[in-house]
Amino acid sequence: MDPFSRFSHYFAAVAASGSLRKAAEKLHVSASAINRQILLAEEMMGTLLFERLPAGLRLTTAGELLYDDIRRWNRELERTRQRVDELQGLKRGHVSVALIAAVNHGAVAAELAAAAQEYPWLTFDLAVCDSQTVAARVADASVDFGLLLDPLEHSGLEVRAFCEMPLGVVMPADHLLASRPALSIGQFSEYRHIIPTAPLMVHERSAMLYQRHDLTPAATISCNDTRMIKSLVAAGAGVSLLSLLDVSDEVTRGELAFVPLHGRAVRPLTLALCIAPKRQLSRAAQMMLQRFTLLLETMAGQQ
């Protein structure tokens, strides 16, 4: 156990489990030793940190504030350890990334795999979330950086690199419209539409286009999972509005066709690499941030 944070380990274990006994079992110390540390802290702070209930312990408001600070302190301590290791020339490092499901394959996954092979001493913590959760985790500094779609202008995030992903019509590779250089939304209205729904980011864009063109397809399938939409399209069940990011691998392999939409109302999605402005990154995190910056710049140049 870290000599600098004995109480924080005790307190966090009790806060997470709501029980002295469970915390004691997890930490392999006596429940009385944990309780003694908590009582001393309450005496020093002049307030209760836990409510003592028949079913266990529950954090008070003061306890919740302390718990939040301890978790933040633990993250900062881990970054300090990494920087000390780097000063000593130790070959180890850790990178935490939050990213959207749309990039869990293709170029981003390949870049992560390449880094893992090139730096076998490097460890990763990857969290796949929706864009809103990625933004929240980056903003509260629980991860080093994140990859998300359409970050809000006033979200407090710093965009290090971005790549615009056009919207288009996804169809089987042998579809009659597959050879077109571009399409308007009215040019494929006669086909069955597989409509992306929330929480998919493309849902809002597609819904806006349908509404703007006053188009209500007679035959539709609604789906909130990109993988299912692509499977249905490949099987000939219909066509769908998706971003190039969603289907780049299938298009490269010749399994699906992607024809861009044209028109003033058609806005691309923006894939952004974001960090918290004041976050201090370890050398390992800086190295991976640079790799992803170059990757997104390359992807942008290929559009």
Side-chain angles (χ1 to χ4, degrees):
M1 185 176 295
D2 193 327
F4 296 111
S5 56
R6 183 184 302 274
F7 167 73
S8 72
H9 281 277
Y10 290 172
F11 179 84
V14 176
S17 66
S19 166
L20 285 170
R21 178 183 57 80
K22 291 179 181 179
E25 291 174 354
K26 177 182 178 180
L27 299 176
H28 304 290
V29 296
S30 68
S32 60
I34 295 176
N35 190 48
R36 184 165 55 251
Q37 290 288 329
I38 292 173
L39 291 173
L40 286 172
E42 289 178 328
E43 181 180 353
M44 181 188 70
M45 299 180 70
T47 186
L48 291 178
L49 300 175
F50 291 97
E51 295 179 53
R52 273 70 174 178
L53 304 173
L57 280 72
R58 184 172 64 192
L59 286 169
T60 62
T61 300
E64 290 176 351
L65 291 172
L66 179 60
Y67 189 31
D68 184 61
D69 286 342
I70 283 177
R71 285 183 292 184
R72 186 181 303 110
W73 180 81
N74 281 331
R75 292 194 296 267
E76 294 297 330
L77 179 61
E78 180 58 31
R79 286 196 285 273
T80 299
R81 287 192 179 116
Q82 291 175 9
R83 290 195 292 269
V84 170
D85 288 345
E86 290 166 1
L87 286 173
Q88 295 174 339
L90 299 179
K91 283 195 171 184
R92 74 180 192 185
H94 181 73
V95 182
S96 57
V97 186
L99 61 165
I100 54 173
V103 297
N104 63 8
H105 56 85
V108 171
E111 187 65 30
L112 285 166
Q117 293 176 356
E118 188 174 347
Y119 306 104
W121 46 268
L122 192 62
T123 61
F124 294 89
D125 179 11
L126 307 177
V128 179
C129 322
D130 58 61
S131 281
Q132 292 80 5
T133 303
V134 173
R137 296 196 64 175
V138 173
D140 69 11
S142 60
V143 295
D144 291 317
F145 55 86
L147 278 166
L148 63 152
L149 287 171
D150 286 354
L152 298 176
E153 291 184 11
H154 305 294
S155 61
L157 303 180
E158 178 183 334
V159 177
R160 286 297 185 92
F162 69 92
C163 176
E164 290 189 338
M165 292 293 173
L167 294 182
V169 188
V170 179
M171 60 192 75
D174 58 355
H175 196 279
L176 291 174
L177 299 177
S179 60
R180 298 284 187 91
L183 288 169
S184 67
I185 194 167
Q187 289 177 307
F188 60 98
S189 57
E190 64 185 88
Y191 300 97
R192 180 189 290 275
H193 288 216
I194 304 173
I195 299 177
T197 58
L200 298 178
M201 288 293 291
V202 73
H203 158 67
E204 293 183 5
R205 299 294 173 83
S206 62
M208 180 193 70
L209 289 171
Y210 283 121
Q211 183 178 11
R212 185 180 182 89
H213 290 83
D214 195 24
L215 177 63
T216 305
T220 65
I221 299 172
S222 298
C223 184
N224 66 351
D225 183 79
T226 305
R227 290 169 298 180
M228 176 60 77
I229 292 174
K230 292 188 290 187
S231 295
L232 290 171
V233 171
V239 299
S240 184
L241 287 179
L242 293 174
S243 77
L244 181 57
L245 179 65
D246 296 315
V247 295
S248 57
D249 286 354
E250 290 81 3
V251 171
T252 299
R253 294 195 297 264
E255 298 169 2
L256 293 173
F258 177 88
V259 181
L261 279 176
H262 66 77
R264 288 183 299 175
V266 181
R267 294 189 298 113
L269 292 171
T270 300
L271 177 64
L273 176 65
C274 299
I275 65 169
K278 296 183 179 180
R279 181 176 175 88
Q280 296 294 318
L281 297 179
S282 67
R283 188 167 64 183
Q286 290 174 7
M287 178 268 294
M288 287 305 302
L289 183 67
Q290 183 178 19
R291 291 179 72 122
F292 276 112
T293 297
L294 292 174
L295 174 63
L296 261 64
E297 290 175 349
T298 301
M299 292 170 64
Q302 294 172 346
Q303 299 302 322

